Amino acid sequence: AIRGYLGQDSILHGYKILRLSQRLKGADNYIAADWHHDRAGRRLKLFIFLHDVDNDGGRPTEVANGTHNLVYYAFEEYSTSRFTDEYVQKNFDVHRLGGKRGGGFLFDTNMVHRGSPFGNHKRETIILEYHNNYKCPAIHALGLNVPCPSGDQHMVAVKI
């Protein structure tokens, strides 16, 4: 599925473990809580739940359906990749991506999304990041201000 979407020269670029504790009470201390796209064009992230993530109290990732097709290859500055909750709720169907331990989801981070900071439970997730093998070197060679790969992960660069 990953090579079908990103091309035959796709790689697992890195991974991280995301921990949202019960102490997190709002968006002020969690940058991914704002609606955004990752400013990186086509990139896939696979989220694997380390415990059940409830859609109501488990701090699920939320996505604005269909937005992965809106801004391909648009590498704006950080501020222009953010959207208000009012705009997203008015213009798109929003889906919460919770699930059972060991389950998860795969999505294109060009899709407008956010991690919910609100909930009654912690959330711990393993996140794997995939790119086309030639994408990040080309972005760096062009000097673009694009997070490719994400800067907060353990790098592995394994061809799939």
Side-chain angles (χ1 to χ4, degrees), residues 62-96:
E62 297 176 283
V63 297
N65 195 35
T67 57
H68 61 289
N69 288 320
L70 294 180
V71 285
Y72 280 127
Y73 312 111
F75 301 115
E76 302 94 354
E77 293 299 316
Y78 174 85
S79 62
T80 60
S81 66
R82 301 304 191 225
F83 303 87
T84 65
D85 187 55
E86 178 183 0
Y87 173 78
V88 172
Q89 299 292 341
K90 180 180 177 183
N91 292 287
F92 304 103
D93 291 329
V94 172
H95 299 278
R96 292 180 170 188

Side-chain angles (χ1 to χ4, degrees), residues 18-37:
L18 175 67
R19 292 184 173 98
L20 301 180
S21 75
Q22 290 178 302
R23 290 180 290 189
L24 182 63
K25 301 296 182 195
D28 292 341
N29 297 319
Y30 182 43
I31 193 169
D34 294 326
W35 286 105
H36 67 282
H37 63 77

Side-chain angles (χ1 to χ4, degrees), residues 26-130:
D28 292 341
N29 297 319
Y30 182 43
I31 193 169
D34 294 326
W35 286 105
H36 67 282
H37 63 77
D38 284 1
R39 299 184 305 119
R42 284 189 176 199
R43 164 169 61 201
L44 293 176
K45 287 190 178 178
L46 173 63
F47 282 56
I48 303 169
F49 301 130
L50 297 179
H51 56 81
D52 293 352
V53 175
D54 178 54
N55 274 340
D56 296 319
R59 306 173 199 277
T61 296
E62 297 176 283
V63 297
N65 195 35
T67 57
H68 61 289
N69 288 320
L70 294 180
V71 285
Y72 280 127
Y73 312 111
F75 301 115
E76 302 94 354
E77 293 299 316
Y78 174 85
S79 62
T80 60
S81 66
R82 301 304 191 225
F83 303 87
T84 65
D85 187 55
E86 178 183 0
Y87 173 78
V88 172
Q89 299 292 341
K90 180 180 177 183
N91 292 287
F92 304 103
D93 291 329
V94 172
H95 299 278
R96 292 180 170 188
L97 304 178
K100 298 289 185 186
R101 181 179 74 175
F105 58 92
L106 178 70
F107 82 112
D108 183 338
T109 66
N110 199 54
M111 176 177 268
V112 175
H113 62 283
R114 71 175 176 182
S116 176
F118 305 106
N120 303 321
H121 310 290
K122 66 180 182 177
R123 178 177 127 187
E124 295 179 340
T125 310
I126 297 172
I127 303 173
L128 306 174
E129 182 172 303
Y130 298 89

Side-chain angles (χ1 to χ4, degrees), residues 138-151:
I139 286 172
H140 296 170
L142 292 170
L144 298 174
N145 180 26
V146 174
C148 188
S150 297

